[in-house]
Structures are given as structure tokens and as C-alpha cells.
Amino acid sequence: MRGTFTTTCRRAVGIAADLLWPPRCGGCDLPGTMLCDRCRAELPLIERADACPRCGAPDGAHGCAECGRSELAFAQGRCAGVFEWPLDRMVRLHKDAGELRLTDPLARLAVAAAGEWTDWADAVVAVPSSPGAIARRGFDHGAHLAAVFARMADITAVEALRARPRRDQRGLGRERRAANARSSIVAVPGVTVPERLVVIDDVFTTGSTLDAAARALTGAGAREVRVLAVARACGGRL
Ligand SMILES: [Zn+2]
Ligand SMILES: [Zn+2]
């Protein structure tokens, strides 16, 4: 009953939003759709067979320059596409302009990238935004993405992580930066963490945030954590 009510409300809000702010393509602003056929065809998707199975970097299947010998708290990583047009524009509009109607196409890409992981995982966990970022944006884009992903993949979304205010990274060396990222994400006290988890984020940049999330979850009892991102900003090093 509650589910029906929620779905009805969501539809009503969606219809009202479409009337007030007609949908426009996240890639090229074409009216009438959130992702036009031309931009869909241009999406810079990562071919899984070519990607690093450990961190999801494109072209890393036979030796990865990005994760190298780094110790990672997550077992595997996948990214749907490269952070280039039109995917980068979609991600920015979703996060920075509050265009939450783009959550569906972005989550759909994540579901496709996750593939069989959605059967393997007990639950999906969002990378938490800091309280300051949520206050600034007025919403938690990561939690939104995880919730839509969970609905599409028919798995549970668990709010297992919490962000703490992060120290300014400027002027910090690589080790201190990693330590800073680690201390900025913690497991929610007292949360029961399932054994097999997928952590989802919109952008995988250096991987330190997703690594910190995986570390917090394994520390709280998860047996294996895999990480999933919609877009991969290339050139970062773990
Ligand atoms: Zn378009
Ligand atoms: Zn790699």
C-alpha cells in the first residue's frame, strides 16, 4: 500500500516537473527527452573485456597503469563509461544542477555495467555526501542514485556509511590525502552490514573515496566489497 502510494506520488511529482520544466537531453539539450538517440549512441561506454577487472579502468585488462600495485579494500571495480561528453554533462547536471530526472538513465548505465553483480550482491550502498554538500545542493545525489539503482536491479539499498567533514586536501601529500579520505567515511554505528556489497558512486576519480568506503564496510563486517561508478575520470592514480 505504502509502495503504491509512493509510486503514485513519484509519478505525480514527475508529471508536474515535466510540465513546469520540460525534459531536455542531458547531452545536447534537445527538448522532449532526458537522453536523445544521438547522445545515447555517443555515450563513451567502457568495454568490460578491455577494462581492468580490479579497478575498472578502460584498457586496463592486460596490465593497469592506474591501480598498479596499490592495495585496495575493494575486490573488483567497474565503471559504465568514461567521464567525457555526453556522460560528463549528464553527471554534472544531475549532481550540480539538481536534474534528478537524469538519475534513471545514469542508474540504467550502472545496472548494465554491474551485470551479474546484481545477483551476487546482498545490497548496494551509496557513497555518502558530506552534510555540507547535501545542505548546499539540497539533496543527496548519491543516495538518490543508489535508490534508483536498487529499484532497477531489484536489490536492497542499505544506508551503511556516513561522511564526516573532510580536511582541506590542498597542501597534503599523497599518503596524507589517502588517510584524509579514509577518515572522512565511516560505517554508521551499529549498522548490520551484509556480507556481499556493491558500493556505487557517480564518478570514480582517483578511487580513494570508493576505497575508503570499501574499507569502512569491511571493517564493519562485510566479506567482499565491489565498487561501481557511472563514469570514470581517467588519469587518476589509486
Ligand atoms: Zn542529446
Ligand atoms: Zn586497475
Side-chain angles (χ1 to χ4, degrees), residues 147-167:
V148 174
F149 176 91
R151 176 162 51 82
M152 287 179 177
D154 197 22
I155 62 174
T156 310
V158 177
E159 285 184 34
L161 297 172
R162 177 180 294 171
R164 294 198 302 204
R166 191 187 274 218
R167 274 186 59 199

PDB file of all heavy atoms in Angstrom, residues 147-167:
ATOM      1  N   ALA A 147      19.365   4.464  -4.673  1.00  0.00           N
ATOM      2  CA  ALA A 147      17.971   4.033  -4.513  1.00  0.00           C
ATOM      3  C   ALA A 147      17.370   3.630  -5.859  1.00  0.00           C
ATOM      4  O   ALA A 147      16.679   2.607  -5.960  1.00  0.00           O
ATOM      5  CB  ALA A 147      17.147   5.159  -3.885  1.00  0.00           C
ATOM      6  N   VAL A 148      17.652   4.408  -6.905  1.00  0.00           N
ATOM      7  CA  VAL A 148      17.104   4.078  -8.228  1.00  0.00           C
ATOM      8  C   VAL A 148      17.783   2.825  -8.791  1.00  0.00           C
ATOM      9  O   VAL A 148      17.137   1.961  -9.364  1.00  0.00           O
ATOM     10  CB  VAL A 148      17.240   5.280  -9.196  1.00  0.00           C
ATOM     11  CG1 VAL A 148      16.806   4.904 -10.603  1.00  0.00           C
ATOM     12  CG2 VAL A 148      16.401   6.447  -8.684  1.00  0.00           C
ATOM     13  N   PHE A 149      19.092   2.726  -8.571  1.00  0.00           N
ATOM     14  CA  PHE A 149      19.827   1.524  -8.977  1.00  0.00           C
ATOM     15  C   PHE A 149      19.217   0.292  -8.309  1.00  0.00           C
ATOM     16  O   PHE A 149      18.974  -0.724  -8.955  1.00  0.00           O
ATOM     17  CB  PHE A 149      21.306   1.663  -8.590  1.00  0.00           C
ATOM     18  CG  PHE A 149      22.142   0.444  -8.866  1.00  0.00           C
ATOM     19  CD1 PHE A 149      22.800   0.288 -10.075  1.00  0.00           C
ATOM     20  CD2 PHE A 149      22.275  -0.552  -7.913  1.00  0.00           C
ATOM     21  CE1 PHE A 149      23.560  -0.843 -10.336  1.00  0.00           C
ATOM     22  CE2 PHE A 149      23.034  -1.692  -8.155  1.00  0.00           C
ATOM     23  CZ  PHE A 149      23.681  -1.830  -9.370  1.00  0.00           C
ATOM     24  N   ALA A 150      18.965   0.388  -7.001  1.00  0.00           N
ATOM     25  CA  ALA A 150      18.413  -0.740  -6.247  1.00  0.00           C
ATOM     26  C   ALA A 150      17.044  -1.136  -6.789  1.00  0.00           C
ATOM     27  O   ALA A 150      16.741  -2.328  -6.939  1.00  0.00           O
ATOM     28  CB  ALA A 150      18.306  -0.374  -4.768  1.00  0.00           C
ATOM     29  N   ARG A 151      16.229  -0.128  -7.099  1.00  0.00           N
ATOM     30  CA  ARG A 151      14.889  -0.419  -7.634  1.00  0.00           C
ATOM     31  C   ARG A 151      15.006  -1.136  -8.983  1.00  0.00           C
ATOM     32  O   ARG A 151      14.345  -2.142  -9.223  1.00  0.00           O
ATOM     33  CB  ARG A 151      14.111   0.895  -7.758  1.00  0.00           C
ATOM     34  CG  ARG A 151      12.743   0.763  -8.377  1.00  0.00           C
ATOM     35  CD  ARG A 151      11.865   1.971  -8.093  1.00  0.00           C
ATOM     36  NE  ARG A 151      12.465   3.250  -8.387  1.00  0.00           N
ATOM     37  CZ  ARG A 151      12.512   3.796  -9.612  1.00  0.00           C
ATOM     38  NH1 ARG A 151      12.007   3.157 -10.642  1.00  0.00           N
ATOM     39  NH2 ARG A 151      13.066   4.978  -9.800  1.00  0.00           N
ATOM     40  N   MET A 152      15.872  -0.621  -9.850  1.00  0.00           N
ATOM     41  CA  MET A 152      16.017  -1.220 -11.182  1.00  0.00           C
ATOM     42  C   MET A 152      16.601  -2.630 -11.117  1.00  0.00           C
ATOM     43  O   MET A 152      16.222  -3.503 -11.885  1.00  0.00           O
ATOM     44  CB  MET A 152      16.937  -0.355 -12.048  1.00  0.00           C
ATOM     45  CG  MET A 152      16.299   0.931 -12.512  1.00  0.00           C
ATOM     46  SD  MET A 152      17.514   1.873 -13.495  1.00  0.00           S
ATOM     47  CE  MET A 152      16.470   3.261 -13.989  1.00  0.00           C
ATOM     48  N   ALA A 153      17.558  -2.829 -10.202  1.00  0.00           N
ATOM     49  CA  ALA A 153      18.239  -4.126 -10.115  1.00  0.00           C
ATOM     50  C   ALA A 153      17.542  -5.081  -9.159  1.00  0.00           C
ATOM     51  O   ALA A 153      17.972  -6.227  -9.002  1.00  0.00           O
ATOM     52  CB  ALA A 153      19.687  -3.917  -9.663  1.00  0.00           C
ATOM     53  N   ASP A 154      16.485  -4.599  -8.496  1.00  0.00           N
ATOM     54  CA  ASP A 154      15.721  -5.393  -7.547  1.00  0.00           C
ATOM     55  C   ASP A 154      16.600  -5.934  -6.419  1.00  0.00           C
ATOM     56  O   ASP A 154      16.568  -7.127  -6.096  1.00  0.00           O
ATOM     57  CB  ASP A 154      15.004  -6.543  -8.271  1.00  0.00           C
ATOM     58  CG  ASP A 154      13.889  -7.139  -7.407  1.00  0.00           C
ATOM     59  OD1 ASP A 154      13.422  -6.424  -6.500  1.00  0.00           O
ATOM     60  OD2 ASP A 154      13.516  -8.305  -7.626  1.00  0.00           O
ATOM     61  N   ILE A 155      17.444  -5.058  -5.880  1.00  0.00           N
ATOM     62  CA  ILE A 155      18.198  -5.426  -4.680  1.00  0.00           C
ATOM     63  C   ILE A 155      17.984  -4.348  -3.614  1.00  0.00           C
ATOM     64  O   ILE A 155      17.400  -3.305  -3.882  1.00  0.00           O
ATOM     65  CB  ILE A 155      19.710  -5.646  -4.942  1.00  0.00           C
ATOM     66  CG1 ILE A 155      20.377  -4.365  -5.456  1.00  0.00           C
ATOM     67  CG2 ILE A 155      19.951  -6.772  -5.910  1.00  0.00           C
ATOM     68  CD1 ILE A 155      21.885  -4.536  -5.577  1.00  0.00           C
ATOM     69  N   THR A 156      18.493  -4.609  -2.421  1.00  0.00           N
ATOM     70  CA  THR A 156      18.272  -3.699  -1.298  1.00  0.00           C
ATOM     71  C   THR A 156      19.334  -2.603  -1.279  1.00  0.00           C
ATOM     72  O   THR A 156      20.501  -2.882  -1.529  1.00  0.00           O
ATOM     73  CB  THR A 156      18.374  -4.503   0.025  1.00  0.00           C
ATOM     74  OG1 THR A 156      17.547  -5.651  -0.093  1.00  0.00           O
ATOM     75  CG2 THR A 156      17.959  -3.683   1.223  1.00  0.00           C
ATOM     76  N   ALA A 157      18.905  -1.390  -0.985  1.00  0.00           N
ATOM     77  CA  ALA A 157      19.865  -0.312  -0.741  1.00  0.00           C
ATOM     78  C   ALA A 157      20.005  -0.154   0.773  1.00  0.00           C
ATOM     79  O   ALA A 157      19.000  -0.065   1.479  1.00  0.00           O
ATOM     80  CB  ALA A 157      19.390   0.994  -1.369  1.00  0.00           C
ATOM     81  N   VAL A 158      21.238  -0.161   1.248  1.00  0.00           N
ATOM     82  CA  VAL A 158      21.482  -0.039   2.692  1.00  0.00           C
ATOM     83  C   VAL A 158      22.243   1.256   2.961  1.00  0.00           C
ATOM     84  O   VAL A 158      23.255   1.531   2.318  1.00  0.00           O
ATOM     85  CB  VAL A 158      22.324  -1.237   3.201  1.00  0.00           C
ATOM     86  CG1 VAL A 158      22.637  -1.087   4.679  1.00  0.00           C
ATOM     87  CG2 VAL A 158      21.599  -2.545   2.953  1.00  0.00           C
ATOM     88  N   GLU A 159      21.737   2.042   3.900  1.00  0.00           N
ATOM     89  CA  GLU A 159      22.467   3.258   4.300  1.00  0.00           C
ATOM     90  C   GLU A 159      23.450   2.860   5.382  1.00  0.00           C
ATOM     91  O   GLU A 159      23.124   2.861   6.561  1.00  0.00           O
ATOM     92  CB  GLU A 159      21.491   4.316   4.802  1.00  0.00           C
ATOM     93  CG  GLU A 159      20.731   4.976   3.667  1.00  0.00           C
ATOM     94  CD  GLU A 159      19.820   6.095   4.153  1.00  0.00           C
ATOM     95  OE1 GLU A 159      20.192   6.775   5.132  1.00  0.00           O
ATOM     96  OE2 GLU A 159      18.750   6.251   3.569  1.00  0.00           O
ATOM     97  N   ALA A 160      24.630   2.460   4.964  1.00  0.00           N
ATOM     98  CA  ALA A 160      25.594   1.911   5.915  1.00  0.00           C
ATOM     99  C   ALA A 160      26.763   2.838   6.182  1.00  0.00           C
ATOM    100  O   ALA A 160      27.567   2.570   7.072  1.00  0.00           O
ATOM    101  CB  ALA A 160      26.112   0.569   5.382  1.00  0.00           C
ATOM    102  N   LEU A 161      26.874   3.910   5.401  1.00  0.00           N
ATOM    103  CA  LEU A 161      28.042   4.788   5.533  1.00  0.00           C
ATOM    104  C   LEU A 161      27.640   6.211   5.869  1.00  0.00           C
ATOM    105  O   LEU A 161      26.552   6.666   5.502  1.00  0.00           O
ATOM    106  CB  LEU A 161      28.848   4.785   4.222  1.00  0.00           C
ATOM    107  CG  LEU A 161      29.459   3.446   3.811  1.00  0.00           C
ATOM    108  CD1 LEU A 161      30.057   3.536   2.417  1.00  0.00           C
ATOM    109  CD2 LEU A 161      30.509   2.994   4.820  1.00  0.00           C
ATOM    110  N   ARG A 162      28.550   6.883   6.495  1.00  0.00           N
ATOM    111  CA  ARG A 162      28.314   8.276   6.881  1.00  0.00           C
ATOM    112  C   ARG A 162      29.586   9.074   6.550  1.00  0.00           C
ATOM    113  O   ARG A 162      30.699   8.588   6.747  1.00  0.00           O
ATOM    114  CB  ARG A 162      28.034   8.324   8.380  1.00  0.00           C
ATOM    115  CG  ARG A 162      27.831   9.712   8.929  1.00  0.00           C
ATOM    116  CD  ARG A 162      27.571   9.660  10.418  1.00  0.00           C
ATOM    117  NE  ARG A 162      26.313   8.999  10.745  1.00  0.00           N
ATOM    118  CZ  ARG A 162      25.941   8.673  11.969  1.00  0.00           C
ATOM    119  NH1 ARG A 162      26.750   8.884  12.984  1.00  0.00           N
ATOM    120  NH2 ARG A 162      24.772   8.101  12.186  1.00  0.00           N
ATOM    121  N   ALA A 163      29.372  10.291   6.019  1.00  0.00           N
ATOM    122  CA  ALA A 163      30.526  11.142   5.707  1.00  0.00           C
ATOM    123  C   ALA A 163      30.780  12.097   6.855  1.00  0.00           C
ATOM    124  O   ALA A 163      29.847  12.624   7.454  1.00  0.00           O
ATOM    125  CB  ALA A 163      30.256  11.921   4.432  1.00  0.00           C
ATOM    126  N   ARG A 164      32.044  12.277   7.143  1.00  0.00           N
ATOM    127  CA  ARG A 164      32.421  13.271   8.146  1.00  0.00           C
ATOM    128  C   ARG A 164      33.089  14.430   7.421  1.00  0.00           C
ATOM    129  O   ARG A 164      33.613  14.250   6.316  1.00  0.00           O
ATOM    130  CB  ARG A 164      33.391  12.647   9.151  1.00  0.00           C
ATOM    131  CG  ARG A 164      32.718  11.571   9.961  1.00  0.00           C
ATOM    132  CD  ARG A 164      33.487  11.265  11.212  1.00  0.00           C
ATOM    133  NE  ARG A 164      34.861  10.836  10.927  1.00  0.00           N
ATOM    134  CZ  ARG A 164      35.570  10.101  11.756  1.00  0.00           C
ATOM    135  NH1 ARG A 164      35.064   9.706  12.885  1.00  0.00           N
ATOM    136  NH2 ARG A 164      36.800   9.749  11.464  1.00  0.00           N
ATOM    137  N   PRO A 165      33.077  15.598   8.017  1.00  0.00           N
ATOM    138  CA  PRO A 165      33.729  16.730   7.359  1.00  0.00           C
ATOM    139  C   PRO A 165      35.176  16.379   7.018  1.00  0.00           C
ATOM    140  O   PRO A 165      35.887  15.794   7.844  1.00  0.00           O
ATOM    141  CB  PRO A 165      33.662  17.844   8.406  1.00  0.00           C
ATOM    142  CG  PRO A 165      32.569  17.429   9.331  1.00  0.00           C
ATOM    143  CD  PRO A 165      32.526  15.937   9.321  1.00  0.00           C
ATOM    144  N   ARG A 166      35.573  16.712   5.788  1.00  0.00           N
ATOM    145  CA  ARG A 166      36.907  16.353   5.324  1.00  0.00           C
ATOM    146  C   ARG A 166      37.835  17.553   5.428  1.00  0.00           C
ATOM    147  O   ARG A 166      37.446  18.665   5.140  1.00  0.00           O
ATOM    148  CB  ARG A 166      36.800  15.913   3.867  1.00  0.00           C
ATOM    149  CG  ARG A 166      38.043  15.279   3.330  1.00  0.00           C
ATOM    150  CD  ARG A 166      37.870  15.040   1.845  1.00  0.00           C
ATOM    151  NE  ARG A 166      37.224  13.779   1.561  1.00  0.00           N
ATOM    152  CZ  ARG A 166      37.553  13.008   0.538  1.00  0.00           C
ATOM    153  NH1 ARG A 166      38.479  13.362  -0.310  1.00  0.00           N
ATOM    154  NH2 ARG A 166      36.927  11.872   0.322  1.00  0.00           N
ATOM    155  N   ARG A 167      39.060  17.300   5.862  1.00  0.00           N
ATOM    156  CA  ARG A 167      40.047  18.392   5.908  1.00  0.00           C
ATOM    157  C   ARG A 167      40.350  18.851   4.497  1.00  0.00           C
ATOM    158  O   ARG A 167      40.264  18.089   3.541  1.00  0.00           O
ATOM    159  CB  ARG A 167      41.347  17.868   6.523  1.00  0.00           C
ATOM    160  CG  ARG A 167      41.398  17.921   8.012  1.00  0.00           C
ATOM    161  CD  ARG A 167      42.790  17.518   8.483  1.00  0.00           C
ATOM    162  NE  ARG A 167      43.824  18.389   7.951  1.00  0.00           N
ATOM    163  CZ  ARG A 167      45.115  18.049   7.902  1.00  0.00           C
ATOM    164  NH1 ARG A 167      45.513  16.877   8.316  1.00  0.00           N
ATOM    165  NH2 ARG A 167      45.997  18.897   7.429  1.00  0.00           N
TER     166      ARG A 167
END
